[in-house]
Amino acid sequence: QVQLVESGGGLVQPGGLLRLSCAASGIIFGIHPMVWYRQAPGKEREWLATITTDGITTYTGSVKGRFIISRDNAKNTVYLQMNSLKPEDTAVYYCAAFAGPNTYWGKGTQVTVAR
């Protein structure tokens, strides 16, 4: 029943921008913190950003000032606006919903930053 679907990934040049979306269904979206992670090949999954039900945001240092997480509860969607992209941002980006003892994950969307 619970489904998170990321979209918006693709190929972008260094210095470019991209907006990721994550559409949720099967959950009461507005009562759960929403989170973005990424994972590059050979690396551990990396937490990027969290937005609470009240809209409070936190970021990891490597993306702070470049990425912005937001949510639209009416659309059951969380976004990740990515600016000033670097090659090291290349990864599969995942969204997640923290629902009490459960965490629900999307299948990810590929972001490649290269010329």
Side-chain angles (χ1 to χ4, degrees), residues 28-29 34 40 61 64 74 97 105:
I28 305 175
F29 181 83
M34 296 298 296
K64 187 176 182 180
W105 296 89

Side-chain angles (χ1 to χ4, degrees), residues 56-98:
I56 305 300
T57 60
T58 52
Y59 302 89
T60 192
S62 62
V63 306
K64 187 176 182 180
R66 297 192 298 125
F67 292 8
I68 301 172
I69 187 172
S70 62
R71 66 192 298 161
D72 186 339
N73 290 343
K75 296 182 178 180
N76 285 9
T77 301
V78 62
Y79 304 95
L80 186 68
Q81 177 67 50
M82 305 185 295
N83 305 311
S84 301
L85 284 162
K86 306 173 182 179
E88 50 264 44
D89 293 320
T90 296
V92 177
Y93 284 70
Y94 300 90
C95 68
F98 289 173

Side-chain angles (χ1 to χ4, degrees), residues 12-59:
V12 64
Q13 293 185 352
L17 56 88
L18 211 58
R19 188 181 72 162
L20 306 183
S21 299
C22 173
S25 60
I27 60 171
I28 305 175
F29 181 83
I31 66 172
H32 303 302
M34 296 298 296
V35 190
W36 283 99
Y37 293 84
R38 69 185 179 191
Q39 187 168 24
K43 296 184 178 180
E44 295 183 348
R45 185 181 63 193
E46 178 187 19
W47 169 77
L48 297 177
T50 299
I51 184 165
T52 71
T53 56
D54 296 324
I56 305 300
T57 60
T58 52
Y59 302 89

